[in-house]
Amino acid sequence: IRAEHAQQRLLLQEKAAEVEERDALLVKARKAIEELQRSHQEIRSEQNSASVMVMSERAELERRISQLEQEASRNESDMESMRAQLEAAQQERDNVEDQKSLLQRSLAEMQISQTEDAVKNAENVSKQGND
């Protein structure tokens, strides 16, 4: 009976060690998920800040375009000069829009990449936990 108890005690110790190892892996997985969530929030915050900045720049450019249009209508003699400035402002607005699109695309790619990494990490942790 003692041998049987000793054998059962060893089995229980092995199971306890496995449970502790699995718990440790789950803690790591939770920490990784929390870190990804923080990172995701940071990316969203950055994206929102970038969008606000682009919108502000766009509003400023629209205001400048409007001013240039008014000045051009008042000064017939300076019409060609004002048109050139207007076109430059519109080009600048288009460039800002292009930058906004690139920034949004880049942020989206970063989010996708981080999500893929998170899934891979979670799968690895899950595999390690199942082993």
Side-chain angles (χ1 to χ4, degrees):
I1 291 178
R2 285 186 184 178
E4 188 176 314
H5 283 290
Q7 187 178 14
Q8 287 178 349
R9 192 174 302 123
L10 285 174
L11 285 173
L12 284 174
Q13 289 173 346
E14 287 178 15
K15 290 292 182 185
E18 288 177 14
V19 168
E20 286 179 25
E21 185 179 326
R22 191 169 187 187
D23 285 347
L25 288 173
L26 288 173
V27 168
K28 286 181 183 179
R30 282 189 194 112
K31 286 181 181 178
I33 289 169
E34 289 170 0
E35 180 61 31
L36 287 169
Q37 288 171 336
R38 278 192 297 274
S39 178
H40 182 260
Q41 287 295 0
E42 289 173 7
I43 289 171
R44 280 204 176 209
S45 176
E46 290 171 8
Q47 185 179 22
N48 289 340
S49 295
S51 293
V52 167
M53 185 174 65
V54 167
M55 289 173 69
S56 174
E57 289 177 8
R58 181 178 181 166
E60 176 62 21
L61 289 173
E62 291 292 341
R63 187 186 65 76
R64 285 178 55 202
I65 290 169
S66 177
Q67 285 177 345
L68 291 174
E69 288 173 340
Q70 290 172 3
E71 288 175 20
S73 68
R74 281 187 232 123
N75 294 320
E76 290 286 329
S77 63
D78 293 339
M79 186 65 82
E80 286 302 316
S81 173
M82 292 294 163
R83 281 190 182 150
Q85 291 177 16
L86 175 61
E87 289 174 8
Q90 289 171 332
Q91 181 63 45
E92 187 176 342
R93 180 189 64 197
D94 292 344
N95 290 342
V96 168
E97 289 294 330
D98 291 345
Q99 289 174 350
K100 176 185 173 185
S101 295
L102 289 173
L103 181 59
Q104 288 174 334
R105 193 175 311 123
S106 176
L107 287 170
E109 289 171 1
M110 285 173 54
Q111 288 172 336
I112 290 168
S113 176
Q114 288 182 346
T115 301
E116 289 171 348
D117 290 345
V119 169
K120 287 177 186 175
N121 287 338
E123 288 173 351
N124 288 339
V125 169
S126 177
K127 285 179 185 176
Q128 291 174 356
N130 289 335
D131 291 346

